[in-house]
Amino acid sequence: MPHTLTELVAGAAPIVVEETRGYWEGTLAEELRVQTCNECGNVQMPWGPCCTRCLSQDLGSIVASGRGRVFSFTVVRQAIHPNFSAQVPYVIADIELEEGPIMTSNVTDCPVEDVRIGMPVQLWFDNEMEDAFHTKLRLPKFRPAKG
Amino acid sequence: MSISGKTAIAGVGVTAFGKLPGRSAWSLQTEAVKRAIDDAGLTKADIDGLLTAPPLAEPLLLHAEQLGGKLGLRTNYLSQKFIGGATAVALVAEAALAVEAGLCEVAVCVYGENAKTGLPMLFGRAQMGRGQAPSDDIAYGLAGGPIMEARAAKRYMNEFGVTEEMLGSVAVAFREHASRNPGATYRDPLTIEQYLQNRYVSEPLRVLDCTIGASDGAVAVVVTSSERARDLAKPPAVIAGAGVAANLQGLSDPDHYTSYPGARSAATAYRMAGLEPEDVDVAQFYDCFTSTVLITMEDYGFCKRGEAGPFALEGNLKRGGALPSNTSGGMLSEANLVGWNVLAEGVRQIRGESTSQVDDAEVCVVAGQGGFHAAHATLLLTKGAA
């Protein structure tokens, strides 16, 4: 268990908090859950404590299809965080989900030179990891869609 | 009620920029304050307002109180603000409001730190990628400013056909200005060929597209009424217009890859000042990245959407061009004082003191861009009534 800010920052795992618990529980079931507002029907990512359209806290979720397109991306050539130095070059992309919202993730399983804006991608889940407080989770990632 | 023309920047104090080992943030901040007061021809007893931006490396909750204590001040107004790179411009706007409202008569705004040789920028590192649970983007390797900005730059370039040469022409123009500024960190001439051979940090951004990582140094400005400023030591830089706008969803909002809230903060400032983009003689943009400059130029109405790149490529940002910009070298070449050095150069242009002085510079715009497309602040500085 990390005790200091420095230790927390040094780790590269997400930190599961109350309003995101449902999202991360979904990843363990290999579900990408997109947050929905039960009052106004807004669909939003990332998850938050309230609806960014109407401020309602009556929130639910839907399971995303896993299909999306690359909205934008970057090929990281120099990792600023030491945990990622061995992985360069890698792709960080903003994925426009079929359900509408944009989420940040990685595009994997293809040469970094092949990634394009508008490219269709398909969801997959990375290996199980733990956050700083030993809560288990899996990171949703994307790879080029087949066909 | 408009504050246009009623207040002015009457004094500027800057320390040396770059590597200043052995200097504490407090020592730099207090030096800049002393220099700004001296520059205005005032004394410490005249200062009754203090507004600070906390150092990134030492984000103290009580920074304004502690700095005021070290300066031995008793003030009628006190404030501390942090809205990222928009802080410098927004803090001056707040000082103008405080003076105009009668909360104080002479306010000092100050920022400074020893981020280069002192404490690492722990606060910045801690925040990057931690802002947006649950994506907690650091888990994907998203840590650091260039990666944040590169995705916006990529989308912007893709949408409008902006080339790498167009991005590079921003860096080349600002370096040319820096070559005439003895205080600039990087003064060697830069060619577009050298730029294109420069390595990528996070595509499409190269090292030369990114602001200098961190600089030691401090900047302070004195804000008072235009009436009082006219009787002081230096020509006033009158605050003709100001605006502070935000869209706090950042890159969750698809519109935010190709524009900033700067379109709104600039519109507020122009309306307040009764000025148009065509009236601006010189610009000081928040140049954390070359792409930021191009998008801000479009937000501010200097170019139509997608036309800032070709405009920059034609050399219009250089001295003698249609819109000379970042005439000290900016954050790309002079120093990274989180926009405060850019603000100081805006005042120098209005006074006629720049090392890349624009002839007859009557109107200067200063831009502050904060929080990766979330917050933006605009100041329009003029010489005021003759």
Side-chain angles (χ1 to χ4, degrees):
Chain A
M1 170 95 55
H3 296 290
T4 66
L5 180 63
T6 309
E7 287 176 87
L8 274 175
V9 172
I15 298 171
V16 180
V17 296
E18 199 47 47
E19 56 255 27
T20 63
R21 196 165 299 281
Y23 174 84
W24 292 114
E25 284 173 359
T27 65
L28 288 175
E30 297 198 45
E31 288 180 356
L32 177 62
R33 296 179 186 169
V34 174
Q35 195 169 37
T36 53
C37 174
N38 292 333
E39 284 199 23
C40 78
N42 185 36
V43 179
Q44 67 182 22
M45 286 287 278
W47 281 34
C50 70
C51 171
T52 56
R53 186 198 281 167
C54 76
L55 305 187
S56 168
Q57 296 191 322
D58 182 5
L59 300 166
S61 67
I62 53 171
V63 178
S65 70
R67 290 185 292 271
R69 287 179 183 274
V70 173
F71 187 80
S72 196
F73 71 99
T74 180
V75 179
V76 181
R77 297 281 175 182
Q78 178 191 340
I80 290 166
H81 195 291
N83 288 29
F84 295 92
S85 296
Q87 292 182 32
V88 292
Y90 62 92
V91 172
I92 291 179
D94 299 320
I95 308 298
E96 189 171 24
L97 300 174
E98 196 170 59
E99 292 74 19
I102 292 173
M103 69 172 284
T104 302
S105 182
N106 298 126
V107 172
T108 65
D109 298 83
C110 72
V112 297
E113 292 78 13
D114 290 358
V115 179
R116 295 281 180 271
I117 288 177
M119 177 174 149
V121 290
Q122 179 64 46
L123 173 73
W124 68 281
F125 286 91
D126 209 340
N127 294 329
E128 194 172 290
M129 63 195 295
E130 287 185 351
D131 83 346
F133 305 100
H134 302 292
T135 306
K136 292 183 181 357
L137 60 97
R138 295 176 72 179
L139 282 185
K141 295 189 174 180
F142 292 83
R143 55 169 64 113
K146 283 180 186 152
Chain B
M1 185 190 97
S2 170
I3 63 162
S4 180
K6 294 177 179 171
T7 57
I9 298 176
V12 181
V14 300
T15 65
F17 298 149
K19 290 182 185 173
L20 305 168
R23 294 293 303 273
S24 72
W26 298 121
S27 128
L28 292 163
Q29 291 154 18
T30 52
E31 181 189 336
V33 169
K34 172 75 159 61
R35 285 172 178 265
I37 296 171
D38 289 349
D39 182 62
L42 292 165
T43 66
K44 196 188 99 173
D46 295 308
I47 306 304
D48 69 345
L50 177 66
L51 300 90
T52 76
L56 292 171
E58 299 172 75
L60 297 169
L61 290 175
L62 299 174
H63 180 262
E65 286 89 332
Q66 292 197 46
L67 180 61
K70 290 173 199 305
L71 290 162
L73 288 176
R74 292 165 64 107
T75 69
N76 295 318
Y77 190 72
L78 185 71
S79 184
Q80 171 172 340
K81 189 190 284 291
F82 183 74
I83 53 171
T87 307
V89 172
L91 206 57
V92 171
E94 183 183 324
L97 289 171
V99 168
E100 175 54 21
L103 295 172
C104 60
E105 290 185 9
V106 182
V108 172
C109 307
V110 59
Y111 162 82
E113 61 183 320
N114 61 341
K116 180 75 179 173
T117 59
L119 290 172
M121 293 174 80
L122 176 64
F123 180 66
R125 291 275 174 93
Q127 293 304 309
M128 293 304 174
R130 281 283 182 224
Q132 294 194 331
S135 54
D136 278 291
D137 296 335
I138 198 169
Y140 295 106
L142 202 170
I147 305 179
M148 293 290 291
E149 191 64 22
R151 296 131 62 212
K154 183 81 182 172
R155 179 85 194 175
Y156 171 70
M157 293 170 78
N158 187 74
E159 193 151 322
F160 296 113
V162 176
T163 64
E164 298 193 339
E165 286 85 351
M166 292 175 190
L167 285 190
S169 65
V170 176
V172 168
F174 294 1
R175 180 64 64 83
E176 188 178 303
H177 297 145
S179 70
R180 289 186 288 268
N181 173 6
T185 302
Y186 295 111
R187 296 192 295 273
D188 291 340
L190 174 68
T191 66
I192 198 72
E193 291 74 24
Q194 287 170 318
Y195 167 85
L196 291 170
Q197 287 166 11
N198 186 233
R199 69 182 170 84
Y200 287 111
V201 177
S202 193
E203 293 179 25
L205 300 178
R206 297 174 153 85
V207 175
L208 288 167
D209 289 302
C210 303
T211 174
I212 299 167
S215 303
D216 298 336
V219 177
V221 298
V222 173
V223 176
T224 188
S225 69
S226 297
E227 194 179 358
R228 184 159 181 181
R230 275 197 291 276
D231 298 329
L232 297 179
K234 292 287 181 69
V238 174
I239 298 169
V244 182
N247 176 346
L248 304 171
Q249 301 217 62
L251 294 183
S252 295
D253 181 341
D255 293 338
H256 258 236
Y257 290 72
T258 53
S259 72
Y260 301 132
R264 284 184 287 120
S265 70
T268 304
Y270 287 133
R271 191 168 58 245
M272 187 185 295
L275 294 170
E276 303 284 339
E278 295 73 33
D279 298 318
V280 174
D281 301 309
V282 56
Q284 311 298 336
F285 293 114
Y286 194 83
D287 56 337
C288 47
F289 303 99
T290 53
S291 51
T292 314
V293 174
L294 296 181
I295 294 172
T296 307
M297 285 164 62
E298 295 174 10
D299 280 345
Y300 277 34
F302 296 123
C303 303
K304 294 193 173 103
R305 284 288 165 212
E307 293 182 2
F311 183 80
L313 191 64
E314 289 163 11
N316 283 309
L317 305 187
K318 296 183 179 183
R319 194 168 59 165
L323 186 69
S325 302
N326 295 49
T327 44
S328 67
M331 290 164 59
L332 290 168
S333 284
E334 185 192 33
N336 180 356
L337 268 291
V338 203
W340 287 78
N341 54 313
V342 171
L343 169 70
E345 174 66 5
V347 178
R348 286 194 290 263
Q349 279 289 349
I350 292 298
R351 288 178 172 181
E353 293 178 349
S354 171
T355 51
S356 292
Q357 183 62 41
V358 173
D359 293 340
D360 304 320
E362 298 278 343
V363 180
C364 178
V365 70
V366 186
Q369 170 68 31
F372 296 98
H373 298 223
H376 199 101
T378 308
L379 272 185
L380 281 164
L381 302 176
T382 65
K383 287 189 173 178

